[in-house]
Amino acid sequence: MDGLLIVISGFSGSGKGTILNRLLKDYDEYVFSVSMTTRAPREKEVNGKDYFFVTREEFEKAIKEDGFVEYAEYCGNYYGTPKAYVEEQLKNGKSVILDIEVQGAMQIKEKFPDALMVFVAPPSIDVLLQRLRARGTETEEVIQKRILRAKEEVERIDKYEYLVINDNLDKAVSELHQMAEAAKFSTKRLSKFMAKIKTELNNI
Ligand code: 5GP
């Protein structure tokens, strides 16, 4: 059976990156889909590991060539999930993690109805603001843009199936893993099996 597609969204500063790094370190079954972006690399970010950093022209070329499972514009930059890697890993039975924002997540929900949709929230907005500022990688102007985006995103949380409240890293990682385990047995995901059972039953 194909692997599980896992969509993780969350406000900028929710700590989802830290949760994902730990999940990927602790369990072999997960792989991370490295996105393509036109955003400039932050200090310490590595091309090919954190993102594939490209120009707008390169990104638009990939759109034309149907190279993405989803893509969106976020705070003035393009972000997209390259198609080939996701398809290959799902075929290999791996659980593929997409760390993407809400517009892209909605595209995935359309294309892959059995994807697991998880939203990561901070325990409070005070904590979110502290984390955003403590990171020190963004200017105040960028932080303000991201807060504005969070205000839009909060309206769409109910499109996700599960929420992880990130107040404790170990707990958050364990909860996310349990959600993925449960999702493997969802009726949506096992729809082919259910259709077979139904046909067999009706043929009696
Ligand atoms: P950042 O610039 O902080 O790395 O990411 C900004 C936002 O873009 C985050 O919410 C992140 O989840 C999202 N993002 C990263 N990669 C992708 C992608 O491939 N597609 C979409 N739609 N969003 C992405």
Side-chain angles (χ1 to χ4, degrees):
M1 182 164 203
D2 278 4
L4 177 71
L5 190 56
I6 306 174
V7 171
I8 313 278
S9 300
F11 309 136
S12 187
S14 63
K16 64 183 177 323
T18 314
I19 299 176
L20 292 183
N21 285 338
R22 260 288 298 282
L23 187 78
L24 289 158
K25 196 166 140 257
D26 289 359
Y27 302 93
D28 283 344
E29 68 207 70
Y30 300 103
V31 292
F32 182 71
S33 158
V34 178
S35 296
M36 201 181 269
T37 186
T38 58
R39 162 166 84 58
R42 294 183 187 128
E43 208 185 321
K44 289 198 188 141
E45 278 185 333
V46 178
N47 191 22
K49 180 173 167 280
D50 297 292
Y51 282 106
F52 296 106
F53 295 100
V54 297
T55 61
R56 279 190 91 82
E57 290 70 35
E58 285 168 317
F59 198 101
E60 281 165 0
K61 184 164 172 274
I63 297 175
K64 279 203 196 104
E65 290 169 353
D66 193 25
F68 295 112
V69 238
E70 63 71 37
Y71 72 92
E73 270 204 87
Y74 175 94
C75 296
N77 285 300
Y78 278 129
Y79 293 82
T81 304
K83 198 185 256 182
Y85 180 79
V86 169
E87 287 180 348
E88 179 195 320
Q89 294 298 325
L90 288 177
K91 266 204 203 96
N92 290 341
K94 290 282 188 186
S95 296
V96 181
I97 299 180
L98 311 185
D99 169 351
I100 62 178
E101 52 67 67
V102 175
Q103 306 166 74
M106 295 306 112
Q107 297 172 40
I108 295 290
K109 203 174 146 112
E110 279 281 317
K111 285 191 198 161
F112 300 85
D114 62 347
L116 171 64
M117 310 284 298
V118 180
F119 198 92
V120 178
S124 73
I125 294 305
D126 267 356
V127 171
L128 182 80
L129 294 177
Q130 276 166 29
R131 282 185 191 151
L132 266 177
R133 299 211 159 99
R135 198 148 79 176
T137 48
E138 269 93 16
T139 60
E140 189 57 32
E141 190 197 337
V142 171
I143 291 175
Q144 289 305 327
K145 267 195 197 165
R146 285 172 177 241
I147 293 170
L148 207 65
R149 254 340 250 265
K151 287 185 185 176
E152 289 167 25
E153 287 171 353
V154 78
E155 298 299 330
R156 290 154 98 178
I157 294 184
D158 60 356
K159 305 271 187 248
Y160 291 77
E161 294 167 276
Y162 294 104
L163 192 63
V164 170
I165 299 171
N166 185 17
D167 52 0
N168 173 297
L169 183 61
D170 287 335
K171 192 166 139 281
V173 171
S174 150
E175 285 169 0
L176 186 54
H177 177 60
Q178 288 174 53
M179 289 167 193
E181 284 294 292
K184 288 180 186 159
F185 305 99
S186 76
T187 48
K188 260 194 230 157
R189 185 168 152 75
L190 298 175
S191 59
K192 271 194 198 140
F193 170 79
M194 308 234 301
K196 177 174 161 278
I197 292 284
K198 198 171 154 188
T199 312
E200 286 172 4
L201 197 58
N202 287 333
N203 284 341
I204 293 173

